[in-house]
Amino acid sequence: MLVDIVTIFPGFFASPLATGLLGKAGERGLVEVRLHDLRDWATDRHRSVDDAPFGGGAGMVMVPGPWFDALDELEAQGPARVVLLAPDGRRFDHKVAQRLAAEPRLILCCGRYEGIDERVRTRVDEVLSIGDFVLAGGETAALVVLEAVARLVPGVMGNADSATDESFAAGLLEYPQYTRPAVYRGLEVPAVLRSGDHGAVARWRRDQALDRTRRLRPDLLEQAEEDADGPQAPG
Ligand code: JDE
């Protein structure tokens, strides 16, 4: 997978891209990330990318020119799905991550200031939000999307981790995990996990995952039921 990121802060991505899963995926050529400074497409000598909003009001808005020119140039290199990160986008979740992981190429557009000139959206395939809050810029959201998508790209993760992934895909929270020591400060690991009875362990884990999901995220269970039932008649 190829990911182009357009931002006024390409340096923001340096450490995350060199570290952990994203670092490994880059080294192995499974996820290639190319960073682009939006100011490279500015046309004035100050390399400005923002201006005051028409109609007045506080703050600055990103001007359309550099975005159109950047996307002209990047899209001329070949087809890509263009994604804008913004608070008014469709909510990013595991399902969206799976869909994006199947794309050969993404262009992630990171806005700053109070927003981007509305006309830029005519060049975007999809607007995504990582949650109901406002960030200083789309860079943080782009990193969230990139990491969640990259780990689903075939070959990026070992088989050990893919099981965990299937459980979230199934719409359940994970069961509790324990490691040594068996007793720590008087806190004991559940006996069933040390029983050696693999069937009992599997049942306990499934029950815990269900209990936990019912208690902490009942919305996930409702969603899983709807997905399993298929579309229902309204009412
Ligand atoms: C992405 N969830 C939240 C913020 C913005 C006032 C101030 C700033 C492209 O336009 C944007 C993008 C962003 C950064 O992304 C997020 C975000 N998922 O905040 C603004 C809007 N109003 C505009």
Side-chain angles (χ1 to χ4, degrees):
M1 162 178 275
L2 175 59
V3 183
D4 291 284
I5 301 180
V6 184
T7 168
I8 58 167
F9 293 125
F12 182 94
F13 296 89
S15 170
L17 286 177
T19 310
L21 175 134
L22 287 173
K24 238 316 143 23
E27 275 171 29
R28 295 166 62 195
L30 297 168
V31 179
E32 187 195 343
V33 178
R34 298 195 301 206
L35 295 168
H36 308 279
D37 188 339
L38 182 68
R39 292 187 194 281
D40 292 349
W41 288 278
T43 51
D44 64 320
R45 65 186 188 88
H46 295 111
R47 309 222 300 158
S48 42
V49 292
D50 64 324
D51 205 339
F54 273 119
M60 300 289 268
V61 175
M62 289 184 130
V63 298
W67 284 106
F68 273 72
D69 290 344
L71 289 170
D72 282 348
E73 187 174 325
L74 294 177
E75 289 188 293
Q77 298 166 2
R81 186 153 187 89
V82 180
V83 175
L84 172 69
L85 290 312
D88 61 352
R90 174 160 169 234
R91 177 65 63 86
F92 178 73
D93 63 13
H94 185 74
K95 252 191 179 160
V96 176
Q98 283 176 319
R99 176 167 56 76
L100 295 183
E103 294 281 343
R105 184 178 174 213
L106 301 175
I107 301 177
L108 302 180
C109 303
C110 307
R112 283 257 156 184
Y113 308 107
E114 311 313 303
I116 301 186
D117 186 288
E118 191 64 20
R119 291 166 288 188
V120 173
R121 292 181 191 240
T122 63
R123 299 293 304 269
V124 164
D125 296 309
E126 183 168 9
V127 184
L128 291 178
S129 162
I130 62 160
D132 291 340
F133 37 75
V134 179
L135 302 167
E139 285 79 6
T140 322
L143 261 183
V144 168
V145 168
L146 180 62
E147 184 166 321
V149 168
R151 62 188 287 287
L152 301 181
V153 169
V156 168
M157 272 195 341
N159 286 335
D161 299 288
S162 10
T164 306
D165 178 61
E166 277 161 27
S167 134
F168 209 102
L172 292 184
L173 298 181
E174 274 298 281
Y175 50 79
Q177 297 273 23
Y178 295 88
T179 184
R180 279 176 283 278
V183 184
Y184 179 72
R185 297 200 183 194
L187 300 169
E188 288 190 31
V189 172
V192 61
L193 295 179
R194 300 197 290 140
S195 67
D197 181 342
H198 298 301
V201 168
R203 284 191 296 278
W204 182 86
R205 285 179 166 168
R206 191 204 50 212
D207 290 352
Q208 289 286 317
L210 274 168
D211 272 5
R212 206 173 244 216
T213 309
R214 250 192 299 268
R215 198 156 34 84
L216 302 173
R217 292 294 306 277
D219 57 304
L220 290 181
L221 279 181
E222 282 151 32
Q223 190 56 53
E225 278 162 24
E226 281 169 34
D227 292 351
D229 293 350
Q232 302 288 312

